Amino acid sequence: MKYHPSNVSRISTDVLVLGGGLAGYRAAVAAREKGAAVTIAFFARGASPYIIGCNSPIAHADDRDTPEMFFEDMVRGGYGLNDRRLVEVMSTGAIDAQRELSAIGVVFPTENNRIMQRHLSGNTYPRSLFIPEGTGRVVLEHLTAHAEKIGVQTVAGLKVIDFLNDGGDLVGALLWDRREQKFLAITARAVVLAMGGIGRIYSDSTYPADIGSDSYGLALKHGARLIDMEFVQFEPVVTVWPEACLGMEMPTAMLGDGAHLINAKGERFMLRYNPGHGEKQIEKAKMALCVQTEIDEGRGLPDDTVIFDTTVLPAERLESYKTHVRRLRNAGVDPLTTPPRVRPASHSQMGGVLIDETGWTGVPGLFAGGESAGGVHGASRLAGNGCADTLVFGALAGRGAAHGLLPMASRKWDAVIGASLEGIQTSERGKTRADVAELKQDIRETMLRSAGLWRHEAGLAAGRERLRDIARSASEIKTEGIEEAIEARELGHMLVTAQVIVEAALLRTESRGAHQRRDYPNQDDAQWLKHIGFRTDGKGSFFREDIPIQ
Ligand SMILES: Cc1cc2nc3c(=O)[nH]c(=O)nc-3n(C[C@H](O)[C@H](O)[C@H](O)COP(=O)(O)OP(=O)(O)OC[C@H]3O[C@@H](n4cnc5c(N)ncnc54)[C@H](O)[C@@H]3O)c2cc1C
């Protein structure tokens, strides 16, 4: 059965924001405040509610902190690969973001009339804002309420399955409404892409289930460039035990506050890798490698973990991590007396869609912000900068979109929507949902095996071959029902994103930040101080296009 544009409901807006995390909401509010009619559409809440710490160099905890120092930390932490234009914007924009959030009623805890800030790994000074009840969740609640108050329209619970593209102009999106079992087209004069990162593309992952590489798959398909995709950050300390907390990221801020990492021999092993500082003043990517090395070299516990020793923290400090302490206690483990066990898991993507200082992607009508966009973090992201990125570049993309509205044109909407529906068809003897899920799982296992924390040519080449096999199986998919057809779209986005990561990782014959090659252990600035980029060839494949550092 084929789907026809005449059965698709339509609504229209000036700016369509895709994604309901912090980047999406900051974009929606910023575009609305510029006078645009704004609709925000999303499936669920993404990674944003899980945010604990958010960098802003407001210098309340240490008055030596400055935007210039923040800039230097980012470039050092990103191994020089950062887009300096974006780093500049973020180093001051993060201060504005705190003021803007306070202005809409977000309350950050204070001590002696100064906002409290935590010291996160890789940052020279304590500059991470936090809210004990859950930073991301509370900020998102305030932004959502504010957006509603100023007239942003909301379309929640729907899946974006394609952009609407009129001869290269990005003019909206096609969404699937599972509850109503129907499609909705939202036509727009500008689109902000804020659909988050790679999602569960690796079998060990901290991402929530609503993120599925769609940002990158769709951006690539519609002419945007993806850069720095080889840099996947593995969170160093993700809970394995207690089992009820599996996948819960332990805050590196706790390590900054004095918690220790201990191996099976009882050693505080980080002192060996980072003399004088131990678990402090080391960026997450490096810490993940250290933890993985302990495990690989047999100094981990029998379940391939190390101990995250919370018991050495002063009780008052520990209790300030309310969410984590509550979750551990609910699982029957009191972190005051019994420490959890952890190991690395894939966590965030440093790369993404290439943008300029206005959040524009180079595609008419398409802007991007937050984890969808790339460039600011370089080869490794400072702890606390995922959040700062969403707040700064979300707002930037929203303002950019409101300024960059495409002219109202009489468009042939049936043809535009029809193109997005192309390929969505069901057949009686198609694949079942389980078949599609199996291919997704194959991608996840392939990625962990071939493009995990430590990489080498043979492993990456084997991964590339396996992904080609999966692509062949995916191309033969004829789906039985509409839900399978939607999942097959997601599978396509996951697959192309995985392929781009593996290609870039094979090309980059050096080690830098979150990309570590056992066969090329050194950083090679002469050859590789540049972004590896990819762009579509318009025929379903992609080609390499490197971008110099700006
Ligand atoms: C467990 C965890 C803890 C973290 N802790 C921190 C921290 O303490 N500090 C920090 O700086 N960073 C942290 N990060 C990273 C940070 O959360 C992300 O970088 C950030 O939230 C990304 O925000 P975003 O708005 O770009 O995307 P997200 O918050 O991921 O939002 C993406 C949105 O797009 C929607 N979406 C995606 N695909 C589709 C689709 N096809 N159709 C419809 N909607 C779609 C999602 O439903 C969601 O609404 C953490 C990440 C995780 C996973």
Side-chain angles (χ1 to χ4, degrees), residues 19-24 42-48 50-53 158-160 194-196 206-208 210-211 214 249 347 369-371 381 384-387 390:
L22 286 182
F42 55 89
F43 186 64
R45 292 305 198 166
S48 292
Y50 300 96
I51 287 172
I52 304 161
L158 273 63
K159 262 254 146 194
V160 175
M195 299 201 311
T206 62
Y207 276 98
D210 57 313
I211 312 294
D214 297 326
E249 172 206 7
H347 180 68
E371 209 176 325
R381 171 164 78 70
N385 263 11
C387 180
T390 63

Side-chain angles (χ1 to χ4, degrees), residues 18-25 40-55 120 128-129 135-136 140 155 157-162 174-176 193-197 205-215 218 235 247-249 251-252 284 324 327 346-349 369-373 377 381-391 490 493:
L18 300 173
L22 286 182
Y25 267 96
I40 184 166
F42 55 89
F43 186 64
R45 292 305 198 166
S48 292
Y50 300 96
I51 287 172
I52 304 161
C54 186
N55 287 340
L120 303 195
S128 166
L129 306 171
T135 312
L140 200 51
V155 175
L158 273 63
K159 262 254 146 194
V160 175
I161 60 157
D162 205 355
L174 181 68
L175 296 97
W176 170 244
L193 175 63
M195 299 201 311
S205 166
T206 62
Y207 276 98
D210 57 313
I211 312 294
S213 299
D214 297 326
S215 282
L218 287 174
E235 181 65 26
M248 178 180 80
E249 172 206 7
T252 45
K284 285 180 172 195
H324 288 78
R327 283 190 64 184
S346 76
H347 180 68
S348 65
Q349 170 58 261
E371 209 176 325
S372 301
H377 305 297
R381 171 164 78 70
L382 291 185
N385 263 11
C387 180
D389 175 351
T390 63
L391 298 179
E490 282 172 22
H493 299 155

Side-chain angles (χ1 to χ4, degrees), residues 494-549:
M494 222 173 133
L495 188 54
V496 75
T497 305
Q499 286 177 314
V500 164
I501 293 172
V502 168
E503 282 313 312
L506 260 169
L507 285 166
R508 189 172 283 280
T509 48
E510 65 155 359
S511 288
R512 185 187 296 268
H515 170 71
Q516 293 292 316
R517 293 272 307 245
R518 286 209 191 270
D519 44 353
Y520 294 95
N522 299 320
Q523 188 169 313
D524 178 0
D525 281 350
Q527 212 192 329
W528 288 114
L529 201 52
K530 61 183 174 189
H531 308 286
I532 296 176
F534 293 98
R535 200 171 190 173
T536 181
D537 65 359
K539 296 177 200 129
S541 201
F542 55 81
F543 63 91
R544 173 182 174 189
E545 192 182 74
D546 292 350
I547 317 274
I549 300 287

